Amino acid sequence: MNPYILKRLWRRPFISLCGLILAAVLCFLMSWITGYIQQQEQELEQVRTNFQILCVVTNRSGSRSTSLRMTPMELYPLTDETAPLYPHIEDLRLTKEFLGSGSVLGLNKDDILGVTNPRCHGSLDPAMGGQVELYLEDFWEREDKVCLISQEACGKLRAMQEEPEAPLEPGTTLRLTVEDPYSTEVTVVELTVAGTYAGMGNTIFLPFPAARALSVELSGRLTCDSASFVVRDNLRLAELAQAAGENFGPVDPSAGDSGNPRLALTIHDEVYRATLATLEQNIRRGELTLPLLLILCLACGLLTGFLGTRGEIRAYALMRTIGSTQLKLMVSIIMEQMLLPLLAVFLVALIMKTPVQALLCLLFQLAGCILPTVKAVRTPPTAILREQE
C-alpha cells in the first residue's frame, strides 16, 4: 500500500474515523434489516401453513355450540367424503352427550360424553393441560362400550377393591343407567374402564364410535351435540367458506333456532388474519427501508469525498503538473477515501454473514465518493494555480 495514503489518513483522523463509523453503521443496518425481512417472510410462511384455524358449528344466532342435536343430514357435509366441504376439513371433533346415573361413583344425571379425540374437551386436551392414561392404544376408534374416568373416580373404584392401594384391575366395569337427553329411552349399560384422565369430576368419556352405537341403541338414530374442525389449507379459506355456505348459514344474532338452515359455521380466523397483516406490514416497511439505506450510503460517500477533497485542490494541481495522470490521481484519492469504509464493511459482512448487502453498501458509497473526486481531479491545474495567485 502507498505510504502516502496512510500519511494522509493519519493527518485527518476525524474525517477517516467518521467514514469508518458511517460505513459500519449503514452496513450493519442493511444486513440487519435484510435478515429481519427474511425472518418475517419465514414466519409468514409458517403461519400460512401451520396456523390452526378452528371452525365451530353453532346455532344460527352463534350463542351456542353444544347441545345442537345435529342429525345425520346435518353431519353429512363434515363426514361424507363426497361432500364439497369435506376436503377442507382436518381434525374433526364431534361430541355426543348422554346422562348417566349410578351408585358406584355417586352419579346423578351426570354427563357421559362421546368424543372423537382428546382435543374435544379441555380435561383431555394436552394443549390445555389435560393428561390421559390409556389402557388400550386404539381407544378412540373402538365401538365397544369402553370409557375414561377421572383419577378421582378411579380412586373411588380402588377403594372398593380388596387391596385399595393396588392399581385398578383391568376390565373393571361400571354399571350405569344411561339416557339420551333427546329421547325418553333409558337403558342400563356396562362400561369397561379403559383409562383415566387427570383431575376431579364425574364426567365419563366414551370414544365417539361407541357413543354413536349407544345413540342408535337408545333412540334409533345418531345425533351429535357439537362439531368443530381445523382448516386443512389456510390458503383456501375462501373456498371453504363457499363450500360451507351450501349447508350452513351465516351467524345471525337475531335469528332463532328454527331457521333454515338452523345451524351456522363460525370460522375463527381473526387472529390468523391479524397475524398475517402484521407480518406483511413488517415486510413492506423493511423493503421500503432498504432503498433509503442505500441512498444514505450514497450520501455518506458524497460527504466523505467532499470532505476528503476539500482544501486539497492545489495539492492535486501540483501533482498533475509533475506528471500524475487523472486516472492515477483519482485512484489514489478513492483508495484514500474508501480504505477505512472498506475495512468496516468487510468486518460487518464477516460477522453478520451478509456479503451481498455489504457489497451493495460499498458500491453505493463508492459511487458517492467518485463524484466529488472526479470534479476535483478534472479541474485544469493552470486554472487552479491562476486562482491561487
Side-chain angles (χ1 to χ4, degrees), residues 77-376:
L78 306 177
T79 57
D80 195 299
E81 295 182 1
T82 63
L85 184 59
Y86 187 85
H88 303 284
I89 291 176
E90 189 174 74
D91 189 17
L92 180 62
R93 308 169 189 180
L94 304 176
T95 67
K96 170 60 185 170
E97 301 169 2
F98 300 95
L99 298 178
S101 303
S103 58
V104 175
L105 298 180
L107 300 182
N108 183 19
K109 300 293 185 181
D110 286 284
D111 286 338
I112 299 177
L113 192 64
V115 293
T116 52
N117 57 60
R119 292 173 294 280
C120 292
H121 197 277
S123 298
L124 309 178
D125 190 355
M128 301 181 68
Q131 298 179 7
V132 176
E133 181 182 356
L134 295 175
Y135 307 152
L136 300 172
E137 293 183 359
D138 60 342
F139 173 83
W140 304 108
E141 290 79 34
R142 297 183 72 93
E143 294 187 4
D144 52 331
K145 295 180 175 63
V146 293
C147 67
L148 291 178
I149 61 175
S150 68
Q151 290 180 348
E152 179 191 30
C154 183
K156 294 180 181 179
L157 292 179
R158 281 206 308 267
M160 299 176 185
Q161 297 181 158
E162 295 181 359
E163 299 181 11
E165 300 301 323
L168 193 66
E169 297 178 1
T172 300
T173 59
L174 302 175
R175 187 177 179 83
L176 304 173
T177 300
V178 180
E179 63 179 290
D180 192 320
Y182 313 116
S183 172
T184 58
E185 296 294 329
V186 178
T187 187
V188 176
V189 176
E190 287 190 353
L191 300 177
T192 302
V193 177
T196 61
Y197 63 92
M200 305 172 64
N202 289 327
T203 302
I204 297 174
F205 294 98
L206 307 178
F208 193 79
R212 178 173 54 201
L214 184 57
S215 175
V216 173
E217 179 182 336
L218 287 173
S219 62
R221 60 177 181 171
L222 169 65
T223 57
C224 180
D225 292 296
S226 74
S228 61
F229 60 88
V230 173
V231 177
R232 185 183 297 274
D233 186 353
N234 295 340
L235 299 179
R236 301 176 64 188
L237 267 178
E239 296 178 31
L240 182 149
Q242 182 178 1
E246 298 181 10
N247 301 96
F248 299 97
V251 173
D252 182 3
S254 63
D257 289 344
S258 59
N260 186 22
R262 70 181 187 91
L263 298 176
L265 183 67
T266 302
I267 302 174
H268 293 284
D269 60 346
E270 302 85 1
V271 176
Y272 170 74
R273 294 189 182 279
T275 305
L276 285 186
T278 300
L279 292 172
E280 289 170 350
Q281 185 180 53
N282 292 342
I283 292 172
R284 285 195 300 270
R285 287 176 177 173
E287 291 174 344
L288 290 174
T289 304
L290 290 178
L292 295 177
L293 287 176
L294 291 176
I295 293 174
L296 288 176
C297 288
L298 185 65
C300 177
L302 284 169
L303 178 62
T304 304
F306 172 75
L307 295 177
T309 57
R310 187 181 63 173
E312 301 294 330
I313 304 298
R314 182 178 177 83
Y316 297 154
L318 291 174
M319 293 173 69
R320 290 280 303 280
T321 59
I322 62 175
S324 291
T325 63
Q326 286 188 6
L327 181 60
K328 183 178 179 180
L329 183 57
M330 190 180 344
V331 171
S332 176
I333 297 171
I334 291 174
M335 288 181 61
E336 174 190 337
Q337 305 300 328
M338 295 299 299
L339 178 61
L340 292 181
L342 175 62
L343 177 61
V345 168
F346 174 78
L347 291 176
V348 172
L350 191 63
I351 294 172
M352 302 196 70
K353 300 179 181 179
T354 52
V356 175
Q357 290 71 30
L359 181 60
L360 282 174
C361 289
L362 194 63
L363 289 177
F364 273 77
Q365 191 164 349
L366 176 62
C369 182
I370 287 175
L371 295 177
T373 302
V374 170
K375 181 180 178 182

